[in-house]
Amino acid sequence: MQNIVIKGGARLTGEVRVSGSKNAALPILASSLLASGRSVYRNVPALGDVRTMHKLLGELGAEVETKTEPKAGGITFVDTSKVENVEAPYDLVKTMRASVVVLGPLTARHGRARVSLPGGCAIGARPIDQHLKGLAAMGAKIELEHGYVTARARRLQGATIVFDMVTVTGTENLMMAAALAKGHTTLENSAREPEVEELARVLNKMGARIQGAGTSQITIEGVDELQPIEHTIIPDRIEAGTLLVAAAITRGNVLVRDCLPEHLDAVVAKLRAAGVEITPEDGGLRARAKGDLKSTDISTQPFPGFPTDMQAQFMVLMTRAKGQSLLTETIFENRFMHVPELQRMGADIQVEGRTVAVRGPVRLTGAEVMATDLRASASLVLAGLIADGTTKIRRVYHLDRGYDRLDKKLRALGADVRRTRGPM
Ligand code: EPZ
């Protein structure tokens, strides 16, 4: 089992390139199931969840090949012409709940899908009732048995679906299902995340007729057939946000290249409010420390609000800010698993229901800590960068699920970070 060991204190400087987006790549890879033939995806990030999606597509009968081109990220070739199996097994779904995004495409294209129910995860119960409600509204027969959900429909029918809450993969699953349904579908209260917009771009390239992605009302005119395509995936806005915080927290000066500033407005606004200088430059964003950090409150919201996937990273930054910051998590009911580990490093953090109060500035000290989920592990890496002494992070497989060689990128910016082998 790998650990990450960090000696704190280095000031990060230089340039770093952002990899392709995990949360765009996963539904885009699943969308290949909507067409028969060979699709080519570029700028695919090299991370655990993408490898799981490759395995799942292979399990369904697709031929998946990967290649890496220097400076262009990964390339994935997916040939779906022999897909016959429509079952997403427990062993894969339990490692990555986002596997549920094959449910819509398989039901729409093959008339049947059997997907293991994801079950709960470290950050919350995360049910998929909205996905199932939407498929049922399109005429699918839904059965839950033996831990699996089965959806059957000779052909899905267009429908009007109103989400009870904003759900990213729910919107993506139903958008893909509706692309091959008969007739017109309207998705109300849809997620507006850039990854949803990116998926709609891909589906329209395949021949779909989707409008309104990026707004809360998406309309889809179903078509009879979709074509495989070639596509280059957008950069990862959460990786970019994490790197901007790394620069700010180490009082550094870093150019984060290949990110899309318009995907980061809420994050940049809060970093500036905290006193970090963020300037657009060369198709990226430069973060430069300027003066003391100021306490800043955040409340996580669906896009374009402050992303829940940046809450843990921002919390560490606020341990260095003067005063008290209030951070409220409104999306997931259990996304403060990093707090006890940060407290073990000396952070002054009080949890009050779905809000934490962070007081600063405090000096963190290096410790042995345990990663519990993807973004929590990123926050422990950030804490290790500024802590006195050495921090050892265990269970870094959580980090590798969603970050493409983060330690290597931080080392290139001057951080003293390395991997070691060790017990669980
Ligand atoms: C996506 O998860 C992202 N994952 C998450 O990123 C991200 O945190 C989340 O959106 C919110 O932005 C991917 O895109 C692969 P939701 P998703 O459905 O789609 C409730 C990361 O760190 N809900 O938008 O699973 C749900 O429990 C990951 O990269 C229902 O109740 O999240 C949650 O409280 C973590 N019923 C809220 O809605 C449903 O049917 C939002 O969840 C669906 C959702």
Side-chain angles (χ1 to χ4, degrees), residues 81-392:
S81 42
K82 297 201 185 73
V83 166
E84 271 164 13
N85 175 18
V86 293
E87 180 164 322
Y90 174 71
D91 281 341
L92 287 176
V93 179
K94 78 173 171 22
T95 59
M96 181 186 71
R97 49 176 313 103
S99 311
V100 72
V101 292
V102 301
L103 184 62
L106 287 174
T107 311
R109 175 107 207 296
H110 296 272
R112 185 172 172 273
R114 186 164 190 268
V115 174
S116 169
L117 276 172
C121 103
I123 64 176
R126 303 181 74 180
I128 58 165
D129 56 299
Q130 300 296 303
H131 304 234
L132 304 182
K133 178 182 95 169
L135 282 176
M138 288 189 212
K141 191 163 171 304
I142 305 288
E143 282 167 345
L144 300 182
E145 243 183 352
H146 310 299
Y148 279 75
V149 56
T150 303
R152 277 193 195 81
R154 205 189 302 280
R155 174 134 196 222
L156 292 171
Q157 304 295 316
T160 296
I161 296 157
V162 184
F163 291 107
D164 299 335
M165 80 291 292
V166 170
T167 160
V168 176
T169 49
T171 303
E172 293 166 342
N173 235 336
L174 299 181
M175 200 163 65
M176 290 192 275
L180 280 180
K182 190 158 184 42
H184 184 87
T185 295
T186 303
L187 302 178
E188 295 281 4
N189 194 25
S190 297
R192 301 165 54 189
E193 270 64 6
E195 295 78 22
V196 171
E197 237 182 303
E198 170 76 344
L199 178 62
R201 242 189 312 274
V202 164
L203 295 172
N204 282 343
K205 254 168 115 173
M206 294 170 77
R209 295 167 58 192
I210 300 172
Q211 293 186 321
T215 76
S216 56
Q217 186 189 65
I218 299 175
T219 57
I220 304 119
E221 207 54 54
V223 296
D224 296 340
E225 206 180 354
L226 294 169
Q227 305 306 325
I229 53 150
E230 297 211 11
H231 186 75
T232 300
I233 291 171
I234 54 172
D236 196 306
R237 62 191 169 103
I238 305 300
E239 184 198 4
T242 306
L243 291 164
L244 291 171
V245 171
I249 207 169
T250 60
R251 322 302 297 148
N253 181 346
V254 172
L255 174 58
V256 178
R257 277 192 179 289
D258 296 353
C259 65
L260 295 173
E262 64 273 22
H263 291 172
L264 286 151
D265 288 345
V267 174
V268 167
K270 288 295 179 182
L271 287 172
R272 287 183 174 143
V276 183
E277 189 184 284
I278 306 277
T279 39
E281 188 182 318
D282 285 355
L285 289 169
R286 180 176 292 282
R288 210 192 321 249
K290 203 179 73 190
D292 290 342
L293 288 169
K294 288 177 278 208
S295 58
T296 305
D297 299 347
I298 61 159
S299 168
T300 64
Q301 300 293 333
F303 192 89
F306 190 93
T308 170
D309 297 346
M310 280 298 300
Q311 174 255 98
Q313 300 92 315
F314 200 81
M315 188 184 291
V316 184
L317 185 69
M318 289 302 102
T319 65
R320 301 296 300 150
K322 214 162 175 328
Q324 172 172 281
S325 309
L326 296 177
L327 283 63
T328 302
E329 175 55 58
T330 71
I331 308 288
F332 293 108
E333 63 272 25
N334 187 34
R335 202 166 203 182
F336 291 142
M337 301 283 279
H338 39 287
V339 170
E341 297 302 297
L342 293 174
Q343 288 167 332
R344 293 184 60 251
M345 296 178 77
D348 177 352
I349 303 175
Q350 306 306 319
V351 180
E352 196 65 46
R354 298 188 88 165
T355 296
V356 302
V358 182
R359 289 190 196 84
V362 298
R363 218 182 85 250
L364 298 183
T365 52
E368 290 213 40
V369 290
M370 186 82 79
T372 48
D373 62 77
L374 169 57
R375 307 304 170 182
S377 49
S379 77
L380 298 178
V381 169
L382 294 170
L385 291 175
I386 55 166
D388 293 351
T390 302
T391 298
K392 183 190 228 181

